[in-house]
Amino acid sequence: MAATTKNGKTAPAAYPPPVNTQQEFIKREVDPEDEIIEVGVAIVGGGTAGLATANRLLQLLHEDAENGGDVMERLGEVPVAIVEKAKVCGGHTLSGAVVRPDPLLELFPDMTREDWRKEGFAYGEVTKEAVYATPTSKISLRVPTPPNFKNHGNEVISVSALARYQARVAEEAGAYILTETAATQLLVEDGRVRGVRSGDKGRGKEGQELGNFEPGTDIVAQHTVLAEGCWGHLTGAAIREFDLAENREPQVWELGVKEVWKVPKPLDRLIHTLGPWPLAISPKYGQVGGTWIYPMKDEKTGEDLVSIGFVVELEYADATTSPHDMLQTFKTHPLVRKILEGGERVAWGAKALPGGGYWSMPKLSMPGALIVGDAGGMVDTLALKGVHHCIKSGILAGEAIFNALKTGESSLESYEQAIEESTVGKELWEVRNARQPLQKGLLIGGPISGLHQVTKGKLPGRLAWHRNDHKPMFIGKTKDRYVKPDGKYTFDKLSSVYITGNATRDDAPNHIRVQKNVPREVAETWVWMCPAGVYEIPEDEPETGKVNVVVNYTNCVQCGAITAKGGRLTTPEGGDGPLYQIT
């Protein structure tokens, strides 16, 4: 029986998706030797963290070979394989993104920041910045820059373009990149990860084999890296299988929606806003979030671009909270309109991100495998920063794997200590208790959060999180504030999905799991939350009680937010989903 709260409203967690993680996503017997693909190291995910792992490992393998070592030779014909579900590496990758440069300079020491811009993944160093409060739809007040928003000297980049560059370098160094390939099962034998199973291709809506059907394959590796990003389903299965979340807080999530605009005049500074508008200030609504506006100078074309985005913590209570519509509404503020007016939207995308920070990070290694980047929750959501942690964790993962291969050590636990002692562990430790107070709302939680930030983690204790999907939902009035899309400056969800290059087959199997008959509050949550218009409630459904939900899964841009509110995203057929270019 579904559980309800004392006020009669139902939480999404009371209606779990029809998923059996350990049965569906773990394969416990490897296929016969003549039917498998053997590789040295298998990396699941061609984003910044997975590719940083590949590049650092390959650097060490080549150095070892030049010095007479045989580690590369012992890994076989395919020393490193990267399994990426998108059409190209970076195709599903999205972030703000302003990055701290040190890990990227460490990974590619022969490159300068000017080289990054020439390669097309970096757009300029931050030299000026400003932070504003937006108390109303017309007023903006500049405020002193909080420590978490100080970005002087950081670099504006495109993570999708960075991933494409990293992939090219890795391939030139000997990596085998399997794009359009979904890793659908974790191979586990005798308590050790042996690799992954790739997904079938060419199945119809009901799972039937079509004329172009290709079965998946067991990819067996000496070590496996889970670099799936936000809520990877193999990572989730591994966390349960190896009890990696013991004594950790539940992970919580945020959702960011982003646009890139070509603008007639350059923006001279990086901007963040703290709200509260267009978020509701009342704690009843549970809305916490903020925005970014970043200048981007394309060195190749000379064009002036602007990255603008809205991030909402998914622990809200009003079912009509829509990050996409909030971004469209935010663009009508005079502060924003003077930046974008006369410009043209050239890209859009959406992505969930882990917000739990230090206390929600799982144990990062298990027999035969380790976890890197967003898959391990390595994001400082207060600073809107995670890319540098992804790259640094990949560097440390590559070093840990190489050392294990070199010495014959089977354990990868040294990686965990390396993370703790690195900037990743130290920075996340300092803000370990700064995000939780904001769950009480900006007015109450803001000062407490600020105290934890300025003391840099010196205050003792451990503040707990609440799970996103356990909060009861109500149908509130947030939707009444959204602007109507005009198709020129403000846009609807479906036209936004169109410009992502989404090419999911109409007859592909459904990769989204939700219960189809749920309380209207839960159904409305899914409808409004989803930035891609995946969920619909038929018009003839009742206004109260349970309603049916239609899932238009071919619209999905793989943002992952549904997993935070009672559903579950699983991997689509390889090649499906968006094809991001400059997000």
Side-chain angles (χ1 to χ4, degrees), residues 130-207:
V131 178
Y132 293 88
T134 52
T136 72
S137 62
K138 303 295 183 183
I139 298 173
S140 60
L141 304 172
R142 186 165 181 177
V143 299
T145 303
N148 54 307
F149 282 156
K150 290 184 177 179
N151 283 281
H152 194 88
N154 292 333
E155 188 84 17
V156 180
I157 71 163
S158 159
V159 288
S160 57
L162 173 59
R164 291 196 301 275
Y165 173 77
Q166 288 177 284
R168 190 181 83 219
V169 174
E171 202 162 29
E172 290 171 353
Y176 185 55
I177 302 179
L178 294 86
T179 53
E180 301 189 61
T181 303
T184 57
Q185 291 180 301
L186 194 67
L187 301 180
V188 180
E189 274 192 341
D190 301 322
R192 183 178 178 84
V193 175
R194 295 285 311 282
V196 297
R197 172 86 179 181
S198 67
D200 296 342
K201 294 183 180 181
R203 289 191 179 275
K205 281 187 176 183
E206 305 304 320

Side-chain angles (χ1 to χ4, degrees), residues 335-387:
L335 173 69
V336 184
R337 192 177 282 277
K338 69 181 181 181
I339 296 170
L340 301 182
E341 196 100 77
E344 174 191 4
R345 186 178 74 159
V346 295
W348 174 95
K351 199 74 173 177
L353 61 150
Y358 186 87
W359 296 128
S360 296
M361 288 172 59
K363 188 177 186 297
L364 297 172
S365 73
M366 67 211 83
L370 47 74
I371 304 171
V372 297
D374 283 10
M378 301 177 200
V379 177
D380 176 0
T381 53
L382 284 166
L384 294 177
K385 292 281 182 299
V387 177

Side-chain angles (χ1 to χ4, degrees), residues 332-466:
T332 65
H333 196 287
L335 173 69
V336 184
R337 192 177 282 277
K338 69 181 181 181
I339 296 170
L340 301 182
E341 196 100 77
E344 174 191 4
R345 186 178 74 159
V346 295
W348 174 95
K351 199 74 173 177
L353 61 150
Y358 186 87
W359 296 128
S360 296
M361 288 172 59
K363 188 177 186 297
L364 297 172
S365 73
M366 67 211 83
L370 47 74
I371 304 171
V372 297
D374 283 10
M378 301 177 200
V379 177
D380 176 0
T381 53
L382 284 166
L384 294 177
K385 292 281 182 299
V387 177
H388 67 300
H389 290 331
C390 287
I391 296 169
K392 184 63 178 180
S393 70
I395 292 171
L396 296 175
E399 292 172 351
I401 291 170
F402 174 79
N403 290 333
L405 292 168
K406 183 76 172 175
T407 62
E409 174 65 52
S410 62
S411 172
L412 297 172
E413 288 189 347
S414 63
Y415 166 68
E416 296 182 46
Q417 187 63 31
I419 288 287
E420 285 286 337
E421 295 174 356
S422 73
T423 53
V424 180
K426 291 176 181 177
E427 290 179 13
L428 292 177
W429 172 259
E430 288 184 353
V431 294
R432 68 193 182 282
N433 286 324
R435 185 65 180 80
Q436 297 92 314
L438 296 179
Q439 292 177 323
K440 301 179 182 296
L442 189 61
L443 288 181
I444 298 174
I448 302 173
S449 174
L451 183 61
H452 281 280
Q453 290 180 59
V454 298
T455 57
K456 293 189 175 182
K458 291 183 174 62
L459 295 180
R462 174 175 176 172
L463 303 184
W465 285 96
H466 304 288

